[in-house]
C-alpha cells in the first residue's frame, strides 16, 4: 500500500503549474502537467499513488471521472476517514478539506506534515506551496487506500480571522453591508444590500474572485476583503 509520503512526493514536482477552475484531468495519465483545479489535482495525486479513485462523480473510470470537493466530502464521510485538522496538519500526504456551499466550490489541499500544503490554489497562483494555518478548513481526510504513519507532534492550528460565508442562519452585520456595496460598485450584483450574507452575495463574491484570479469558493476571507478594499 502506498504511503502519504509517497503521495506528497508525487504532488511536489507540480508546484508552479497552471490552475483552471473546472479543468478535467485524466487520472490515469501519469504525464499530466496541468491545467488543474484543486479537487482534480488531489484526486489525480491519489490515483497515481494508489491506483484507486476517490472524490469523483463516479469512481470507476479514471480517464473521465470528474473530481469535486463535494464528492470528496461524500467519499470521506462514507469511508469514515475524516480526522481533525490538527491531525491532518501533522500528517504528510493527508488532505485538508473545505466543504462546498450549495452551488459553489470548496477547496482541498495536501498536507506536508509540517504545517505547509501542496495545492492547486487559484488562477493567479497556480499550484503552490501554501500554509495550513490562518485558513478555514472543515476536516482532514486520510483516504483508506493510503497508509499513514501516526503523527509525531500535534500542534494547534492558527484559526483564520473572520470569514464571511453562507451559514444558517445567514451571517449579518455592517461588514456584510460594506461587502455588498463594494461588490455592487464593481458590477457584481449581490442582490439586496441588506447586510445578510445569502446565496446572491456568495455568488457575487464567487464571480468577483474569479475576476481577480483568487480562490473562488464564495467565501470572503482576508484576501477577498483586501481585494475589495475592505481591509
Amino acid at each position: 500500500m502506498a504511503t502519504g509520503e509517497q503521495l506528497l512526493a508525487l504532488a511536489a514536482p507540480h508546484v508552479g503549474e497552471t490552475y483552471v477552475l473546472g479543468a478535467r484531468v485524466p487520472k490515469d495519465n501519469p504525464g499530466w502537467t496541468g491545467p488543474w483545479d484543486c479537487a482534480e489535482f488531489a484526486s489525480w495525486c491519489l490515483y497515481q499513488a494508489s491506483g484507486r479513485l476517490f472524490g469523483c462523480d463516479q469512481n470507476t473510470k479514471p480517464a473521465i471521472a470528474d473530481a469535486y470537493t463535494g464528492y470528496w466530502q461524500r467519499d470521506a464521510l462514507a469511508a469514515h476517514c475524516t480526522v481533525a485538522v490538527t491531525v491532518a496538519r501533522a500528517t504528510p500526504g493527508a488532505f485538508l478539506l473545505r466543504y462546498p456551499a450549495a452551488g459553489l466550490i470548496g477547496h482541498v489541499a495536501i498536507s506536508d506534515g509540517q504545517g505547509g500544503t501542496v495545492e492547486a490554489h487559484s488562477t493567479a497562483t497556480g499550484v503552490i506551496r501554501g500554509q495550513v494555518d490562518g485558513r478555514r478548513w472543515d476536516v482532514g481526510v486520510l483516504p483508506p487506500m493510503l497508509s499513514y504513519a501516526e503523527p509525531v507532534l500535534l500542534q494547534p492550528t492558527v484559526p483564520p480571522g473572520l470569514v464571511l460565508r453562507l451559514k444558517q442562519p445567514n451571517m449579518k452585520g455592517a461588514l456584510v453591508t460594506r461587502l455588498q456595496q463594494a461588490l455592487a460598485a464593481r458590477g457584481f450584483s449581490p442582490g439586496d444590500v441588506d447586510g445578510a450574507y445569502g446565496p446572491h452575495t456568495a455568488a457575487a463574491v464567487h464571480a468577483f474572485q474569479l475576476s481577480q484570479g483568487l480562490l473562488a469558493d464564495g467565501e470572503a476571507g482576508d484576501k477577498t476583503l483586501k481585494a475589495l478594499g475592505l481591509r
Side-chain angles (χ1 to χ4, degrees):
M1 181 178 288
T3 66
E5 288 88 348
Q6 289 171 325
L7 178 138
L8 183 63
L10 284 167
H14 295 277
V15 170
E17 293 174 358
T18 302
Y19 174 103
V20 173
L21 179 62
R24 296 288 289 272
V25 175
K27 312 303 181 297
D28 56 351
N29 181 350
W32 192 264
T33 56
W36 309 95
D37 76 4
C38 69
E40 293 284 340
F41 182 67
S43 291
W44 180 89
C45 290
L46 186 51
Y47 185 84
Q48 290 300 311
S50 70
R52 293 174 60 188
L53 288 171
F54 189 92
C56 299
D57 55 344
Q58 48 78 29
N59 289 319
T60 58
K61 296 180 179 179
I64 60 173
D66 180 20
Y68 168 54
T69 49
Y71 301 138
W72 269 82
Q73 177 183 1
R74 177 201 66 195
D75 289 353
L77 295 175
H80 304 288
C81 63
T82 61
V83 296
V85 171
T86 52
V87 173
R89 183 186 189 278
T91 305
F95 294 85
L96 296 138
L97 180 61
R98 183 183 311 142
Y99 296 153
L104 296 169
I105 64 167
H107 192 60
V108 58
I110 301 168
S111 170
D112 68 6
Q114 300 178 21
T117 63
V118 178
E119 58 189 280
H121 183 265
S122 62
T123 304
T125 57
V127 180
I128 65 167
R129 288 190 176 273
Q131 295 294 320
V132 177
D133 289 347
R135 302 168 71 183
R136 196 186 73 75
W137 306 102
D138 287 298
V139 294
V141 181
L142 302 179
M145 59 280 294
L146 293 183
S147 172
Y148 291 99
E150 289 290 328
V152 176
L153 178 63
L154 297 182
Q155 295 181 325
T157 56
V158 177
L162 177 65
V163 178
L164 300 176
R165 59 192 177 99
L166 281 177
K167 294 181 68 176
Q168 288 296 327
N170 289 340
M171 300 180 77
K172 297 181 179 181
L175 181 57
V176 178
T177 300
R178 292 171 58 209
L179 170 76
Q180 291 171 329
Q181 292 168 337
L183 288 166
R186 289 164 173 77
F188 299 92
S189 174
D192 295 333
V193 179
D194 56 4
Y197 200 95
H200 295 297
T201 299
V205 167
H206 172 75
F208 173 75
Q209 290 168 327
L210 283 174
S211 76
Q212 300 299 303
L214 299 170
L215 196 163
D217 58 3
E219 299 188 4
D222 190 60
K223 289 184 179 180
T224 296
L225 293 173
K226 282 182 178 177
L228 285 164
L230 301 176
R231 280 284 190 267

